[in-house]
Amino acid sequence: MDIFSIWNLNKDLNYSEVIEVYRNYTSWSTTEHDAYDGAALEFNIVINQNPNYIYNLNGIDVPFAEINFRKEKVYSAERNNPLRDKRVKLTEITFYVYEYLNKVRFIVLRGSGANTLTALRAATNCISNNDITSDNLGLSEDFFYWVFQRHMNFTSRELYPNTDIYVDALTGYSGSTRDSVNDMWGRGSRISRILVTLAFLFNNDSLKSLTPDFKFKDENLEVELTLNGTFKFNLESHLGMFLLEADLTKKKASSLIQFVLEIFPNAKSAYEKHVEDETWGPDHQLNFIAGIGAEIQDRVEEKLTDISIQLAQSGEDDL
């Protein structure tokens, strides 16, 4: 799975103006030099733009471009090291930039964190701390529990009536550890889904994640969601309009933009409608967890009964 993070531009710039910032970077960037040998340090932006790089959402064209940014900086602790690869640190990020409803956003093929923000700000010539901010999609553990509950108890049904959004599978969970339980596919038996859910519940790590395979209309994409803004996606899981797309940049960017603008918003809207309708809330979460516990207890008691019968029959055979 490939890592990505989502960022918002909070400056009064549109898509074309942002592209011009990248195109004219030599006019505003400052060339830094390595004090050890006087060599110029790299600062480079490459724009991959194509007339076909357009995502269409409900009749609205959403143009996008792929940006590759490279910047070298001397690592102060090694500034006198004669080995250049020890002395000079290279930061490189690749990201997609697009605009929808007068809002410019970035999808960076790197995790959410300070280093990503620093690189994104440097590439976009942003100075203020709030010019670019991370978007964690407003995720919460309650949303994760709701997804578990919908997939467990309403496996083949829409997440909310007349929304055409489903969870086809839960491919895993994670917390502080990953083990064989994490590899169980949600398309398996109900007991497997229960075990995955229990493993999630028993892990107290605040950075829990969940990997649903969302289906919206005829589009499928498996995405690992987390609470810290670093996500992963499995492009090989994609089924839909971009399945046979030969241009990997267009396929990857379009799939991610589709997830950010269509697939996830519809899933989040279904969750919010259940909360609004009071068909999901703290009591429902409590009943869901209690129901899992009761079902596991029933399964254990059934197994113990089977073992007791087998032992009794074995004892009779020995007489």
Side-chain angles (χ1 to χ4, degrees), residues 133-253:
T133 52
S134 177
D135 184 351
N136 69 356
L137 299 177
L139 287 165
S140 65
E141 287 194 20
D142 189 64
F143 176 83
F144 288 169
Y145 290 129
W146 171 78
V147 172
F148 269 121
Q149 186 254 7
R150 298 303 302 177
H151 183 62
M152 181 78 67
N153 296 335
F154 309 97
T155 307
S156 59
R157 291 169 57 179
E158 294 171 294
L159 293 179
Y160 192 84
N162 303 315
T163 58
D164 215 5
I165 180 77
Y166 303 81
V167 172
D168 265 6
L170 290 178
T171 64
Y173 86 99
S174 74
S176 58
T177 61
R178 293 178 180 271
D179 52 32
S180 59
V181 175
N182 186 36
D183 296 328
M184 289 183 179
W185 279 77
R187 294 184 179 90
S189 67
R190 179 174 174 80
I191 193 66
S192 295
R193 296 199 298 272
I194 290 174
L195 290 175
V196 170
T197 308
L198 283 174
F200 179 88
L201 296 175
F202 291 157
N203 192 301
N204 293 320
D205 196 325
S206 61
L207 300 182
K208 290 176 180 176
S209 70
L210 190 64
T211 310
D213 187 342
F214 286 114
K215 178 183 179 182
F216 177 60
K217 298 181 179 177
D218 296 322
E219 308 293 324
N220 272 77
L221 189 65
E222 177 188 342
V223 178
E224 179 181 292
L225 302 172
T226 72
L227 300 179
N228 65 357
T230 295
F231 312 116
K232 294 181 181 179
F233 72 106
N234 180 8
L235 191 61
E236 294 180 358
S237 74
H238 170 71
L239 296 174
M241 67 177 76
F242 310 115
L243 178 62
L244 302 179
E245 176 57 57
D247 185 330
L248 184 58
T249 295
K250 182 177 181 180
K251 181 176 183 177
K252 187 176 290 188

Side-chain angles (χ1 to χ4, degrees), residues 236-286:
E236 294 180 358
S237 74
H238 170 71
L239 296 174
M241 67 177 76
F242 310 115
L243 178 62
L244 302 179
E245 176 57 57
D247 185 330
L248 184 58
T249 295
K250 182 177 181 180
K251 181 176 183 177
K252 187 176 290 188
S254 297
S255 297
L256 287 173
I257 291 172
Q258 181 183 64
F259 172 76
V260 174
L261 294 185
E262 292 198 80
I263 296 177
F264 182 77
N266 278 279
K268 186 74 177 297
S269 176
Y271 163 74
E272 291 170 346
K273 286 176 180 177
H274 277 289
V275 173
E276 183 180 343
D277 293 348
E278 298 184 355
T279 50
W280 177 258
D283 290 342
H284 297 88
Q285 183 186 124
L286 181 64

Side-chain angles (χ1 to χ4, degrees), residues 302-318:
E302 288 175 8
K303 193 64 179 176
L304 289 174
T305 299
D306 290 343
I307 293 173
S308 297
I309 293 173
Q310 292 175 12
L311 289 174
Q313 290 176 344
S314 176
E316 292 175 357
D317 292 342
D318 291 339

